[in-house]
Protein backbone atom coordinates (compact mmCIF):
# COMPACT_ATOMS: atom_id res chain seq x y z
CA UNK A 1 0.00 0.00 0.00
CA UNK A 2 2.97 2.32 0.65
CA UNK A 3 6.29 2.79 -1.06
CA UNK A 4 9.17 5.00 0.02
CA UNK A 5 11.00 6.65 -2.85
CA UNK A 6 14.44 8.20 -2.43
CA UNK A 7 15.96 9.72 -5.52
CA UNK A 8 18.00 12.50 -7.08
CA UNK A 9 16.25 14.77 -9.53
CA UNK A 10 17.87 15.97 -12.75
CA UNK A 11 19.54 18.84 -10.85
CA UNK A 12 21.03 16.49 -8.25
CA UNK A 13 18.63 17.48 -5.47
CA UNK A 14 17.75 14.69 -3.04
CA UNK A 15 14.13 13.71 -2.49
CA UNK A 16 12.60 11.34 0.04
CA UNK A 17 8.87 10.71 -0.35
CA UNK A 18 6.27 8.18 0.71
CA UNK A 19 3.56 7.40 -1.84
CA UNK A 20 0.35 5.61 -0.92
CA UNK A 21 -2.38 3.77 -2.76
CA UNK A 22 -2.45 3.65 -6.54
CA UNK A 23 0.39 6.18 -6.73
CA UNK A 24 2.56 3.73 -4.74
CA UNK A 25 1.81 0.99 -7.25
CA UNK A 26 2.65 3.29 -10.13
CA UNK A 27 5.98 4.30 -8.56
CA UNK A 28 6.83 0.65 -7.87
CA UNK A 29 5.96 -0.29 -11.45
CA UNK A 30 8.20 2.43 -12.90
CA UNK A 31 11.07 1.64 -10.52
CA UNK A 32 10.76 -1.99 -11.56
CA UNK A 33 11.36 -0.90 -15.17
CA UNK A 34 14.57 0.84 -14.11
CA UNK A 35 15.66 -2.40 -12.42
CA UNK A 36 14.76 -4.52 -15.44
CA UNK A 37 11.74 -6.12 -13.75
CA UNK A 38 8.66 -6.65 -15.89
CA UNK A 39 5.04 -7.07 -14.82
CA UNK A 40 5.24 -10.70 -15.88
CA UNK A 41 8.10 -11.24 -13.41
CA UNK A 42 5.69 -10.49 -10.55
CA UNK A 43 2.85 -12.75 -11.70
CA UNK A 44 2.27 -15.49 -9.12
CA UNK A 45 -0.31 -17.57 -10.99
CA UNK A 46 0.06 -17.64 -14.78
CA UNK A 47 -3.44 -19.14 -15.04
CA UNK A 48 -4.76 -15.63 -14.35
CA UNK A 49 -3.47 -14.29 -17.69
CA UNK A 50 -6.20 -13.07 -20.01
CA UNK A 51 -6.68 -11.10 -23.20
CA UNK A 52 -8.04 -7.55 -23.12
CA UNK A 53 -11.21 -8.82 -24.76
CA UNK A 54 -11.77 -11.44 -22.05
CA UNK A 55 -10.89 -8.93 -19.32
CA UNK A 56 -13.44 -6.46 -20.68
CA UNK A 57 -16.09 -9.15 -20.96
CA UNK A 58 -15.59 -11.02 -17.68
CA UNK A 59 -13.39 -9.13 -15.22
CA UNK A 60 -13.55 -5.38 -15.82
CA UNK A 61 -16.54 -4.58 -13.60
CA UNK A 62 -15.20 -6.61 -10.68
CA UNK A 63 -11.74 -5.11 -11.06
CA UNK A 64 -13.05 -1.54 -11.02
CA UNK A 65 -15.25 -2.29 -8.01
CA UNK A 66 -12.23 -3.70 -6.17
CA UNK A 67 -10.19 -0.61 -7.08
CA UNK A 68 -12.95 1.72 -5.86
CA UNK A 69 -12.83 -0.01 -2.45
CA UNK A 70 -9.03 0.10 -2.43
CA UNK A 71 -8.92 3.83 -3.20
CA UNK A 72 -11.61 4.53 -0.59
CA UNK A 73 -9.51 2.66 1.99
CA UNK A 74 -5.97 3.88 1.20
CA UNK A 75 -6.31 6.76 -1.27
CA UNK A 76 -4.99 7.28 -4.75
Amino acid sequence: VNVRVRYLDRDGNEHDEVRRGLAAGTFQHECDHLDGVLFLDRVVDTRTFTTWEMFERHHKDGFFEEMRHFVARVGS
Side-chain angles (χ1 to χ4, degrees):
V1 177
N2 296 311
V3 66
R4 182 178 184 185
V5 183
R6 292 183 293 188
Y7 63 95
L8 301 174
D9 64 21
R10 68 179 66 194
D11 298 318
N13 300 312
E14 293 183 18
H15 297 268
D16 188 345
E17 304 172 8
V18 174
R19 298 295 175 153
R20 184 169 173 80
L22 293 178
T26 302
F27 267 77
Q28 182 64 60
H29 174 80
E30 296 305 326
C31 287
D32 280 350
H33 284 307
L34 295 173
D35 292 334
V37 177
L38 301 176
F39 171 78
L40 297 175
D41 297 327
R42 293 197 178 271
V43 172
V44 175
D45 184 356
T46 57
R47 294 174 299 161
T48 63
F49 284 154
T50 187
T51 64
W52 277 115
E53 179 184 350
M54 296 303 280
F55 172 79
E56 294 269 338
R57 185 180 304 157
H58 300 290
H59 306 290
K60 182 179 176 180
D61 293 338
F63 174 78
F64 279 102
E65 185 62 24
E66 188 176 327
M67 287 300 102
R68 277 192 285 279
H69 288 293
F70 178 78
V71 169
R73 187 169 47 97
V74 301
S76 62

